[in-house]
Amino acid sequence: MKSIEAAVGIREIPKAHKWLALSFQHLFAMFGATILVPFLTGLPPAVALVSSGFGTLAYLLITRGQVPAYLGSSFAFIYPIMEVSNTHGVAGAMIGSFMAGIVYGAVALLITIFGMSWIMKLLPPVVVGPVIIVIGLGLASTAIDMAMYESGDGEVYSATHFTVALVTLGITILATVFLRGFLSLLPILIGIVGGYIFALSQGIVDTSEIAAEWAAITSAESAGGFLAAVFQTPEFLIPFRDFSPAAVFSWQIVFLMVPFAVVTITEHIGDQMVLSKVVGKNFLRNPGLNRSILGDGAATIIASFLGGPPNTTYGENIGVLAITRVYSIFVIGGAAVFAVFFGFIGMSTAVIGSIPPAVMGGVSILLFGTIASSGLRMLIDNQVDFGEKRNLIISSVIMVLGVGGAFIEITDGLEVQGMALAAIIGVLLNLILPGKEKSQGNGLMFEEPDIEDDEKKATGAA
């Protein structure tokens, strides 16, 4: 195995000023996407920042400080969080997140005992690809409602808001296509900032909370008053203090949210493969996929205890590693500490809260489409043959059930619906129909990376 020469090694501690700058770089790489998830789901962005920071620190600990990965808010859980929050409240969504984290732990245990081959049999690309497509397309109406309507709720159409959304979308696309180097990793953040500035010029930004925070800071008459004005405790939602898990628990929550762990676990494995190629170390073998999945699950459980969205490894931060060749876990840990710190800054919460839905809607048009397209790319990359009736049947059933909003009513208060139903039936069809080998495509989806790439190839793999 040939390691790629690192500018800063995995266990290396940079000098203080470099450490600070490099950690800030990782913070900005994840910032735009991490705050978008709570913004769309109605969760407090400050809590998402804090939970991503603590989750990343837990991940680094569980992986024995061997995997330089940052964890942020998972896009795959946007839809189920919204659905569960509407029916069972935010507390219900946290119960679902906790259960999804438990699934991670169970999968990690099974990998420890049986290895990885069973995952390939259970989750071939012909199942996972269409499920990812359904996730993206299922969120399409949410993005359009936020873009076209005054309050983002699909009621009062506004040409001004739609214009702001389209300008935001345009800025994000231009940043994605034309920027190079580190800036190429920040198209979401650049799009949000550019759209926010344009929204200010259109008079649709409510800056009253920002003004109130600023007034509190400038009017402080003592050091204690100043600190109290600057630092504020996020709106945590803590079980047994703010709600009773037993009173909130419902099997409908489990059926709505747990199946999404199927997708995020698959994404996690893909991220680990890419990260292995970038760094030049096979993380699937050492510290092991079981440990990295357990770390991901622990981060999601931590988020559920605080009231934040589930966490997952972030491609943006893997991209930063590829470009900079700074692999230090201390840099990643520094970014996590900064995320927690900013979560307690009241002004940051006020600024994030003032972003108009139209701006987020504009960014979401691209992001949700990208989610759907990544599912299509999985099918293409794995060379799934749709000339095979088996593959055509499985993918067709998954997409129509998921996008169409089908559901099975088990009891008056228990339904299995939408993407969850589509994922379950897709897995069952794959297990029942003959010719399972035809669903694996080229069979490379879970192939462990052979790290023999040179630096240029590894960087390109990101």
Side-chain angles (χ1 to χ4, degrees):
M1 183 177 295
K2 177 180 167 183
S3 296
I4 296 167
E5 183 181 354
V8 181
I10 292 178
R11 295 293 185 89
E12 187 177 346
I13 303 176
K15 292 183 179 179
H17 65 285
K18 289 185 178 180
W19 190 355
L20 185 70
L22 292 169
S23 291
F24 262 112
Q25 184 169 249
H26 272 285
L27 178 68
F28 282 115
M30 54 69 70
F31 193 83
T34 291
I35 67 168
L36 179 59
V37 175
F39 191 97
L40 294 173
T41 55
L43 301 177
V47 176
L49 287 174
V50 173
S51 61
S52 76
F54 282 134
T56 298
L57 293 174
Y59 179 90
L60 294 175
L61 181 64
I62 291 171
T63 56
R64 298 175 176 174
Q66 296 182 44
V67 185
Y70 192 94
L71 280 70
S73 305
S74 172
F75 281 89
F77 282 94
I78 292 175
Y79 171 78
I81 289 175
M82 291 167 52
E83 288 294 313
V84 173
S85 295
N86 288 336
T87 56
H88 297 84
V90 175
M94 295 305 103
I95 294 292
S97 296
F98 174 81
M99 297 304 296
I102 295 298
V103 170
Y104 274 86
V107 170
L109 178 61
L110 290 173
I111 291 175
T112 301
I113 298 173
F114 300 109
M116 283 184 54
S117 60
W118 65 275
I119 298 182
M120 176 180 283
K121 296 176 182 178
L122 189 66
L123 302 174
V126 76
V127 172
V128 178
V131 167
I132 295 174
I133 292 173
V134 167
I135 291 175
L137 295 182
L139 291 167
S141 60
T142 299
I144 297 303
D145 285 350
M146 294 177 68
M148 292 180 58
Y149 300 95
E150 285 189 6
S151 300
D153 55 8
E155 293 186 0
V156 181
Y157 172 79
S158 169
T160 301
H161 286 71
F162 196 30
T163 300
V164 169
L166 293 177
V167 168
T168 303
L169 174 62
I171 293 171
T172 307
I173 291 173
L174 291 174
T176 302
V177 173
F178 293 108
L179 293 181
R180 295 292 180 267
F182 174 65
L183 289 178
S184 68
L185 302 171
L186 306 176
I188 298 172
L189 184 60
I190 292 171
I192 292 173
V193 172
Y196 186 87
I197 293 171
F198 182 72
L200 280 170
S201 72
Q202 301 301 301
I204 65 169
V205 179
D206 182 2
T207 59
S208 58
E209 288 295 326
I210 298 175
E213 288 290 336
W214 181 249
I217 293 172
T218 55
S219 63
E221 297 180 353
S222 65
F226 176 80
L227 291 175
V230 172
F231 295 100
Q232 298 178 12
T233 303
E235 300 173 21
F236 294 123
L237 185 67
I238 299 176
F240 302 107
R241 187 196 73 175
D242 300 318
F243 67 94
S244 169
V248 176
F249 179 83
S250 164
W251 283 107
Q252 185 172 2
I253 296 173
V254 176
F255 284 121
L256 268 171
M257 292 197 68
V258 166
F260 285 80
V262 169
V263 176
T264 53
I265 288 173
T266 305
E267 290 177 340
H268 172 89
I269 297 172
D271 284 343
Q272 289 299 105
M273 291 176 178
V274 174
L275 187 59
S276 294
K277 292 178 180 178
V278 168
V279 178
K281 296 182 181 295
N282 196 323
F283 295 127
L284 276 69
R285 295 189 183 127
N286 186 26
L289 183 61
N290 55 340
R291 281 191 171 272
S292 65
I293 287 181
L294 180 62
D296 209 331
T300 293
I301 290 174
I302 289 171
S304 72
F305 285 159
L306 298 176
N311 287 313
T312 189
T313 48
Y314 256 33
E316 293 91 336
N317 294 87
I318 295 174
V320 173
L321 294 175
I323 288 178
T324 64
R325 292 184 292 114
V326 174
Y327 308 143
S328 172
I329 61 164
F330 296 99
V331 170
I332 299 291
V337 171
F338 282 136
V340 173
F341 176 78
F342 277 104
F344 283 86
I345 301 295
M347 181 60 78
S348 66
T349 302
V351 171
I352 294 171
S354 71
I355 301 174
V359 171
M360 291 303 195
V363 173
S364 298
I365 290 172
L366 179 61
L367 283 176
F368 297 161
T370 300
I371 293 172
S373 297
S374 67
L376 181 61
R377 179 180 175 179
M378 175 177 285
L379 296 172
I380 295 171
D381 288 348
N382 289 276
Q383 299 175 352
V384 176
D385 183 6
F386 283 99
E388 295 288 345
K389 293 180 181 179
R390 182 184 200 279
N391 295 340
L392 188 62
I393 289 170
I394 294 173
S395 62
S396 300
V397 170
I398 289 174
M399 287 192 286
V400 172
L401 289 178
V403 175
F407 65 90
I408 295 176
E409 185 174 318
I410 299 175
T411 65
D412 289 340
L414 178 59
E415 293 180 353
V416 183
Q417 56 181 295
M419 206 237 55
L421 177 63
I424 292 170
I425 291 182
V427 169
L428 291 176
L429 283 175
N430 177 63
L431 294 175
I432 294 170
L433 294 178
K436 293 183 180 63
E437 69 281 353
K438 297 175 182 178
S439 295
Q440 301 297 339
N442 56 21
L444 300 178
M445 181 171 171
F446 292 121
E447 182 177 286
E448 293 189 23
D450 183 16
I451 312 298
E452 294 294 342
D453 305 73
D454 58 18
E455 180 182 329
K456 181 176 180 182
K457 183 176 179 182
T459 303

